[in-house]
């Protein structure tokens, strides 16, 4: 059956997969539809910065000719974050010195996606080395928000969020230290899921002893996030400190019952400046859940001391990452990364010991809090999408931000305790989307996805599309 190319791009990943398995469309036809969409939208948005269409055509033809149609991501177009190594495909990290770097091997999760039948169409834009929640760099420039091309997409998985939002791909991977999955998802009306530590292997490069950064899936619906997560998650014999749960346990997500669900909500986590439109949207969202029968209360665990803990852990990471080569690269790095390195080098052993002690206390407090609640709702961002020319937010509600990451503590507080969390479309302020952060107890990733799917069904904001997609969806209806 012939299908309109724009209609195909408007489908969910699950719907695309069903058509591919039933033989109603081919992998090559689905790819051609998305290539056409990328060629139409990407020049305006700048989300997919390295395009691999020839490789994708070859892979799609191979899948059509020889492959098992039951592969979990059979024929689905996908884009990889430009911080992830892709064998034979340029990976720049958003840094000029790596403009032409070609990795010899794939990151482990890239291999998982390829083995699952995904078709890579390119790499998505990032801030320099993923530092900061505004996607711009000196290699490719800035990525623009599909809802308003004069505004930011957030970051660091900003190219991924923009590509999803504008229907250039149905799935995109991301990673998150202080909000890099959740912040851009909120700015672009998609879902970004930061899982519990130990779910997704982070190799072969990186430090396996730290859990502050996590890889995770991005998509337009919870059902598609679960599908993608089922491929990314699961133990790997090359990795240690991994949970033993198979990724397949997340492949089918039934929504929770909202009636009786114990929901805590906070508009500011008890300590953060948050712009009024975000607070109002979150309150409306919580009220909607209450109408569906959830038991909703205003409450939050204490995050006193979390800012300092996160800062120490983050700067340790930058110190390790750039330690061996800092003399060669330091002067070429952007000023915010230089600041992170300097802060890391200034840390004492006592600073580090105190941070780990404080982190343990914060985790215990949060675990005690969740004895009384099933889920915590909070803001995914503290500000609305700001002008693309602004490098980072200097003040919120008149309160000055002292660092380039302080304005995104709504996410970094949760990173500090390591609980699974995701950003879910929650509403709009004018034409701009707002996300709600949904947080569950540690290792309750399945329950988090189930609760989020029920909330998604009750609110349905994920179906709202940006202006660039309006014509597409009219033809699909």
């Amino acid at each position: 059956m012939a299908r309109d190319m724009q209609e195909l791009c408007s489908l969910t990943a699950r719907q695309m997969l069903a058509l591919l398995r039933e033989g109603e469309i081919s992998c090559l036809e689905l790819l051609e539809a998305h290539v056409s969409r990328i060629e139409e939208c990407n020049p305006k948005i700048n989300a997919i910065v390295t395009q691999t269409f020839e490789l994708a055509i070859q892979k799609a033809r191979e899948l059509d000719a020889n492959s098992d149609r039951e592969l979990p991501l059979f024929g689905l177009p996908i884009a990889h974050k430009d911080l992830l190594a892709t064998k034979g495909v340029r990976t720049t990290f958003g840094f000029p010195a790596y403009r032409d770097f070609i990795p010899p091997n794939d990151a482990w999760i890239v291999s998982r996606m390829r083995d699952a039948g995904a078709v890579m169409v390119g790499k998505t834009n990032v801030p320099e080395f993923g530092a900061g929640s505004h996607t711009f760099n000196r290699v490719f420039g800035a990525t623009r928000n599909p809802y308003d091309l004069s505004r930011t997409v957030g970051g660091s998985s900003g190219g991924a969020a923009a590509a999803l939002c504008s229907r250039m791909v149905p799935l995109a991977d991301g990673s998150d230290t202080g909000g890099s999955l959740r912040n851009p998802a909120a700015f672009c009306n998609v879902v970004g899921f930061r899982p519990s530590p130990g779910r997704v292997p982070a190799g072969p490069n990186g430090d396996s002893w730290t859990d502050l950064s996590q890889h995770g899936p991005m998509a337009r619906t919870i059902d598609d996030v679960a599908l993608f997560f089922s491929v990314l998650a699961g133990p790997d014999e090359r990795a240690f400190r991994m949970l033993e749960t198979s990724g397949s346990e997340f492949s089918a997500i039934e929504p929770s019952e909202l009636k009786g669900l114990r929901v805590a909500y906070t508009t500011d986590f008890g300590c953060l400046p948050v712009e009024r439109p975000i607070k109002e949207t979150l309150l409306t969202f919580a009220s909607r859940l209450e109408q569906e029968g959830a038991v909703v209360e205003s409450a939050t665990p204490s995050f006193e001391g979390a800012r300092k803990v996160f800062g120490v852990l983050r700067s340790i990471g930058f110190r390790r990452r750039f330690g061996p080569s800092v003399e060669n690269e330091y002067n070429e790095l952007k000023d915010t990364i230089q600041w992170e390195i300097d802060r890391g080098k200034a840390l004492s052993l006592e600073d580090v010991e105190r941070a780990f002690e404080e982190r343990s206390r914060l985790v215990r407090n949060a675990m005690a809090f969740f004895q009384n609640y099933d889920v915590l709702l909070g803001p995914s961002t503290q500000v609305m999408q700001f002008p693309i020319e602004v490098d980072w937010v200097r003040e919120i509600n008149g309160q000055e931000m002292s660092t380039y990451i302080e304005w995104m503590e709504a996410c970094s507080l949760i990173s500090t305790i390591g609980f699974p969390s995701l950003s879910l479309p929650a509403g709009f302020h004018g034409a701009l989307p707002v996300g709600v952060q949904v947080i569950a107890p540690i290792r309750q990733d399945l329950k988090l996805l189930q609760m989020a799917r029920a909330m998604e069904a009750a609110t349905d904001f994920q179906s709202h599309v940006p202006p660039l997609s309006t014509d597409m969806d009219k033809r699909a209806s």
Side-chain angles (χ1 to χ4, degrees):
M1 179 187 299
R3 289 180 178 268
D4 186 277
M5 285 191 172
Q6 301 286 12
E7 177 188 357
L8 287 176
C9 295
S10 73
L11 300 176
T12 68
R14 296 269 191 182
Q15 290 169 330
M16 294 177 196
L17 191 60
L19 293 175
L20 289 165
R21 287 176 172 168
E22 292 163 5
E24 292 197 28
I25 59 171
S26 68
C27 297
L28 186 59
E29 287 172 328
L30 185 63
L31 172 63
E32 288 173 342
H34 283 88
V35 168
S36 176
R37 185 67 179 163
I38 293 167
E39 290 175 342
E40 174 192 358
C41 291
N42 200 59
K44 307 167 190 173
I45 296 171
N46 192 34
I48 300 179
V49 290
T50 295
Q51 297 170 3
T52 56
F53 296 161
E54 290 185 7
L55 290 173
I57 290 170
Q58 179 181 342
K59 176 69 179 284
R61 286 173 171 163
E62 290 173 356
L63 289 169
D64 283 331
N66 304 311
S67 294
D68 176 7
R69 291 181 181 268
E70 294 305 310
L71 289 170
L73 301 182
F74 176 74
L76 294 179
I78 201 165
H80 301 308
K81 190 172 179 178
D82 204 24
L83 301 182
L84 274 180
T86 42
K87 182 179 180 180
V89 174
R90 179 173 62 167
T91 303
T92 75
F93 310 100
F95 186 53
Y98 288 93
R99 184 187 300 271
D100 300 312
F101 174 59
I102 308 295
N105 298 295
D106 283 329
W108 292 345
I109 62 170
V110 170
S111 296
R112 286 190 173 191
M113 290 178 247
R114 289 187 177 181
D115 292 346
V119 177
M120 177 178 63
V121 297
K123 307 295 290 288
T124 58
N125 205 19
V126 296
E128 185 173 304
F129 288 110
S133 197
H134 178 21
T135 298
F136 69 96
N137 59 62
R138 291 169 286 168
V139 182
F140 300 114
T143 299
R144 297 178 178 272
N145 196 302
Y147 286 93
D148 183 340
L149 296 177
S150 71
R151 302 277 167 169
T152 182
V153 293
S156 62
S157 306
L164 287 165
C165 170
S166 54
R167 278 51 182 173
M168 288 191 256
V169 289
L171 302 172
D173 55 64
S175 55
D176 187 307
T177 300
S180 290
L181 280 157
R182 295 160 286 167
N183 181 292
F187 278 172
C188 292
N189 203 49
V190 298
V191 182
F193 173 35
R194 176 191 165 97
S196 295
R199 292 290 186 204
V200 180
N205 300 317
D207 184 351
S208 298
W209 289 107
T210 182
D211 60 14
L212 195 63
S213 294
Q214 296 296 324
H215 293 294
M218 302 184 77
R220 294 191 289 267
T221 69
I222 292 295
D223 208 20
D224 284 355
V225 161
L227 168 69
F228 195 5
F229 189 51
S230 71
V231 171
L232 299 182
D236 189 303
E237 63 183 10
R238 299 165 295 182
F240 52 95
R241 302 181 69 203
M242 295 291 297
L243 300 173
E244 291 300 320
T245 307
S246 169
S248 62
E249 296 198 17
F250 302 98
S251 60
I253 300 295
E254 295 297 327
S256 297
E257 175 62 55
L258 286 179
K259 186 175 182 179
L261 192 71
R262 300 173 301 166
V263 178
Y265 75 89
T266 174
T267 60
D268 60 5
F269 294 105
C271 58
L272 303 179
V274 178
E275 290 184 345
R276 182 189 296 271
I278 296 168
K279 288 185 174 183
E280 292 176 346
T281 302
L282 198 153
L283 290 171
T284 301
F285 188 91
S287 177
R288 175 63 181 151
L289 299 186
E290 191 169 35
Q291 293 170 17
E292 293 291 324
V295 180
V296 179
E297 298 179 4
S298 174
T300 181
S302 172
F303 288 96
E304 183 180 358
R307 173 185 297 171
K308 190 168 185 179
V309 172
F310 178 80
V312 170
L313 297 177
R314 181 180 174 88
S315 290
I316 290 173
F318 275 90
R319 179 177 174 173
R320 283 196 305 264
R321 165 64 178 83
F322 292 99
S325 58
V326 70
E327 297 301 324
N328 297 327
E329 291 183 349
Y330 181 88
N331 291 330
E332 301 301 320
L333 296 166
K334 66 179 181 178
D335 58 350
T336 49
I337 297 182
Q338 291 178 359
W339 173 79
E340 291 275 16
I341 297 168
D342 293 343
R343 189 167 68 160
K345 291 167 73 173
L347 290 171
S348 67
L349 177 59
E350 290 75 15
D351 292 330
V352 176
E353 289 176 338
R354 193 176 302 113
F356 281 111
E357 291 171 1
E358 279 291 290
R359 191 185 194 196
S360 296
R361 179 187 62 79
L362 287 162
V363 170
R364 289 194 297 269
N365 286 347
M367 292 176 70
F369 175 86
F370 275 101
Q371 293 297 310
N372 300 312
Y373 301 100
D374 297 305
V375 66
L376 172 64
L377 305 181
S380 297
T381 64
Q382 293 167 243
V383 298
M384 296 296 294
Q385 297 84 339
F386 51 87
I388 203 163
E389 297 83 9
V390 175
D391 54 352
W392 54 274
V393 175
R394 267 30 183 220
E395 64 89 19
I396 304 175
N397 298 343
Q399 180 174 326
E400 184 178 349
M401 300 289 101
S402 60
T403 74
Y404 81 108
I405 55 173
E406 187 176 341
W407 66 273
M408 49 186 294
E409 289 182 327
C411 286
S412 64
L413 296 178
I414 308 306
S415 298
T416 303
I417 61 174
F419 285 26
S421 57
L422 58 84
S423 184
L424 186 70
F428 283 78
H429 175 66
L432 295 174
V434 178
V436 62
Q437 191 174 181
V438 187
I439 305 148
I442 189 70
R443 292 186 296 279
Q444 292 195 18
D445 304 70
L446 178 60
K447 184 176 181 181
L448 172 60
L449 292 169
Q450 291 170 331
M451 293 186 292
R453 187 171 181 197
M455 295 175 190
E456 178 186 71
T459 55
D460 194 38
F461 289 111
Q462 76 284 350
S463 64
H464 294 233
V465 297
L468 286 171
S469 297
T470 300
D471 291 341
M472 174 191 72
D473 281 57
K474 283 181 180 178
R475 289 193 293 271
S477 62

